């Protein structure tokens, strides 16, 4: 059994928000077995970033991916404009939707392993900086879903 000296040990919860905020990376993948706590951590991060919005300056939106699917023919797929679709479903006024989409965002996408659509969500939604977006994305998934 390996041990870490106390002065080198740290809590992931103490460091994770800064790791997400300070890195130039825009996409993060949280892998874990079923029941490990991916959804709990996702919801905690969402709450944490909203509580500390003055420090991090990024609006956080939690998205349960299976709930975001739309029917196209006989398939359920992710929409190409997932933010607009979800904000419209939640009856957010159009003027407010535009304001939200102009903000720096952290999208927490939970349940990637629960959907069959394996397209790249970042590319599908055209969330590049050149398209005017300032988005970071954290996606949760079980490891076996990526092996398919």
């Amino acid at each position: 059994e390996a041990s870490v000296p106390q002065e080198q040990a740290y809590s992931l919860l103490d460091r994770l928000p800064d790791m997400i905020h300070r890195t130039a990376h825009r996409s993060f993948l949280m892998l874990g077995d079923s029941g490990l706590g991916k959804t709990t951590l996702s919801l905690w991060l969402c709450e944490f970033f909203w509580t500390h919005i003055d420090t991090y300056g990024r609006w956080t939106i939690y998205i349960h991916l299976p709930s975001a699917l739309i029917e196209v023919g006989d398939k359920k797929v992710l929409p190409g404009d997932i933010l607009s679709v979800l904000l419209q479903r939640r009856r957010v006024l159009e003027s407010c939707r535009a304001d939200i989409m102009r903000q720096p965002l952290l999208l927490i996408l939970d349940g990637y392993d629960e959907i069959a659509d394996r397209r790249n969500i970042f590319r599908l939604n055209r969330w590049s900086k050149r398209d005017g977006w300032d988005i970071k994305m954290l996606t949760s998934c079980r490891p076996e879903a990526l092996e398919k």
Side-chain angles (χ1 to χ4, degrees):
E1 181 177 315
S3 66
V4 176
Q6 185 62 35
E7 63 274 4
Q8 291 180 5
Y10 63 89
S11 166
L12 180 62
L13 295 181
D14 291 339
R15 293 212 179 159
L16 187 58
D18 282 335
M19 289 166 54
I20 292 170
H21 176 68
R22 297 191 193 292
T23 184
H25 297 290
R26 298 178 55 219
S27 185
F28 306 90
L29 181 61
M30 177 174 32
L31 292 175
D33 291 332
S34 180
L36 191 64
K38 298 177 299 297
T39 298
T40 300
L41 180 57
S42 295
L43 293 169
W44 181 87
L45 281 168
C46 193
E47 176 71 22
F48 179 89
F49 277 107
W50 273 113
T51 303
H52 297 88
I53 195 161
D54 290 339
T55 302
Y56 296 100
R58 198 169 280 279
W59 291 22
T60 305
I61 300 174
Y62 172 87
I63 300 172
H64 180 247
L65 288 173
S67 300
L69 297 174
I70 60 172
E71 289 189 27
V72 176
D74 61 346
K75 292 183 181 179
K76 288 193 170 195
V77 298
L78 290 169
D81 192 359
I82 196 169
L83 276 178
S84 290
V85 169
L86 290 175
L87 293 173
Q88 187 175 8
R89 280 185 190 168
R90 293 184 179 138
R91 294 185 171 83
V92 174
L93 295 174
E94 192 169 334
S95 60
C96 294
R97 290 196 304 257
D99 286 342
I100 290 168
M101 291 193 275
R102 280 194 291 271
Q103 301 301 318
L105 299 172
L106 170 61
L107 302 179
I108 299 178
L109 308 176
D110 194 22
Y112 187 72
D113 51 288
E114 299 173 39
I115 62 173
D117 190 346
R118 291 290 180 246
R119 291 178 294 168
N120 182 305
I121 299 170
F122 221 88
R123 288 190 190 121
L124 175 67
N125 286 274
R126 295 178 300 282
W127 286 335
S128 70
K129 285 197 178 247
R130 74 171 173 262
D131 290 325
W133 292 97
D134 183 2
I135 288 181
K136 290 193 176 191
M137 181 175 81
L138 175 92
T139 306
S140 74
C141 185
R142 287 180 290 154
E144 59 270 16
L146 299 178
E147 297 168 3
K148 295 177 182 176

